[in-house]
C-alpha cells in the first residue's frame, strides 16, 4: 500500500453518500475508523523499521568513513554512498492520522444533517 492508494481509499470512505438512510452512515464510521487505525498501525511499524535500519546504516557508515572499520571491509567494499529517507512513511502516518480525525468529525456532520432533516420536518 502506498500514499496514492490511501488517498483513493479516503475518497471512497469519507463522503456521506446515502442521505436517505443517514442514520446508517453513523454505524459505518466504526468500520471505517477500524480500517484506518489498521493502516496507521501498519505504517507506524514500517516507520519504526525504517528508522532502525537508518540508525544501523548510519553507524556502519560512521565507522566506515571515519576510518574505524576493519581493513577487510575497505578492501571488499570501496566507498559507497547510500542515504535512506524515512519521510515517506512519516507522511503516510500523518495522512492516516488526518483521515482518522476526519472520520471522527464525520459523526458531527451526520448528526447535523439529521438535525436539519428533523428541523425541515417540523420536529424541532
Amino acid at each position: 500500500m502506498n500514499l496514492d492508494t490511501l488517498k483513493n481509499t479516503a475518497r471512497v470512505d469519507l463522503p456521506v453518500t446515502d442521505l436517505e438512510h443517514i442514520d446508517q452512515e453513523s454505524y459505518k464510521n466504526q468500520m471505517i475508523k477500524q480500517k484506518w487505525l489498521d493502516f496507521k498501525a501498519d505504517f507506524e511499524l514500517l516507520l519504526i523499521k525504517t528508522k532502525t535500519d537508518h540508525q544501523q546504516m548510519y553507524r556502519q557508515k560512521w565507522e566506515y568513513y571515519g576510518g574505524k572499520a576493519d581493513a577487510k571491509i575497505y578492501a571488499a567494499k570501496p566507498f559507497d554512498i547510500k542515504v535512506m529517507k524515512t519521510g515517506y512513511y512519516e507522511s503516510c502516518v500523518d495522512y492516516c492520522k488526518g483521515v482518522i480525525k476526519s472520520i471522527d468529525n464525520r459523526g458531527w456532520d451526520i448528526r447535523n444533517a439529521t438535525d436539519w432533516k428533523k428541523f425541515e420536518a417540523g420536529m424541532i
Side-chain angles (χ1 to χ4, degrees):
M1 176 154 301
N2 59 21
L3 189 56
D4 290 332
T5 307
L6 286 175
K7 288 178 181 179
N8 291 332
T9 305
R11 282 188 199 112
V12 171
D13 287 346
L14 289 178
V16 177
T17 54
D18 191 5
L19 296 176
E20 290 297 318
H21 300 99
I22 200 157
D23 55 330
Q24 298 300 317
E25 289 287 330
S26 62
Y27 296 122
K28 187 177 162 186
N29 276 357
Q30 296 307 313
M31 292 182 290
I32 295 171
K33 188 170 183 177
Q34 182 59 44
K35 178 170 61 170
W36 282 92
L37 287 171
D38 290 342
F39 289 158
K40 180 178 160 253
D42 292 343
F43 278 108
E44 283 176 338
L45 288 174
L46 286 171
L47 178 61
I48 290 168
K49 182 185 180 319
T50 305
K51 283 185 176 182
T52 302
D53 292 345
H54 182 266
Q55 288 173 344
Q56 289 174 352
M57 185 189 71
Y58 182 84
R59 174 65 185 201
Q60 291 170 353
K61 299 291 182 184
W62 178 79
E63 288 176 354
Y64 182 80
Y65 291 113
K68 297 177 183 358
D70 190 41
K72 294 180 216 172
I73 294 176
Y74 294 112
K77 190 174 177 184
F79 285 109
D80 170 22
I81 297 176
K82 180 181 173 188
V83 177
M84 295 173 59
K85 296 184 180 179
T86 59
Y88 178 75
Y89 291 126
E90 289 172 352
S91 298
C92 291
V93 169
D94 290 341
Y95 188 78
C96 288
K97 286 179 183 178
V99 171
I100 291 169
K101 192 172 187 177
S102 294
I103 291 169
D104 290 339
N105 291 336
R106 189 175 183 263
W108 288 101
D109 295 339
I110 292 169
R111 180 173 180 220
N112 288 338
T114 305
D115 289 346
W116 181 253
K117 280 186 141 189
K118 287 179 186 177
F119 176 75
E120 285 181 332
M123 296 176 73
I124 296 180

